[in-house]
Amino acid sequence: MNETNTSAVGAVSESVSEYHIVHTIYRVTTTFNPAFKESLSDILKRLITRDCENLLGQSRQEQEKQAV
């Protein structure tokens, strides 16, 4: 069985975080565009809805039979 070791090293700066996954270091940059029209709650709602739709599609069950 493959075991993945993941650890968040923390913030390198205000907008950059480092993550160690096995022997690779990933630097993730956070960017914010003040002109963007979608709020954080809109983004989260969209992402959760997409995940639920993907889950329903993978299980091949009808949406009205699912309790969401």
Side-chain angles (χ1 to χ4, degrees), residues 6-10 17-21 24-28:
T6 305
S7 63
V9 174
S17 298
E18 275 190 358
Y19 297 91
H20 291 220
I21 301 175
T24 306
I25 299 173
Y26 295 93
R27 287 195 175 158
V28 179

Side-chain angles (χ1 to χ4, degrees), residues 26-63:
Y26 295 93
R27 287 195 175 158
V28 179
T29 304
T30 305
T31 307
F32 176 72
N33 182 355
F36 197 61
K37 303 289 184 202
E38 198 173 25
S39 70
L40 180 58
S41 60
D42 293 334
I43 294 169
L44 291 173
K45 181 180 176 182
R46 178 173 43 84
L47 293 173
I48 292 169
T49 301
R50 185 186 325 159
D51 281 349
C52 290
E53 289 171 350
N54 289 341
L55 180 64
L56 289 172
Q58 290 175 1
S59 65
R60 295 184 181 169
Q61 295 183 7
E62 297 176 22
Q63 289 184 359

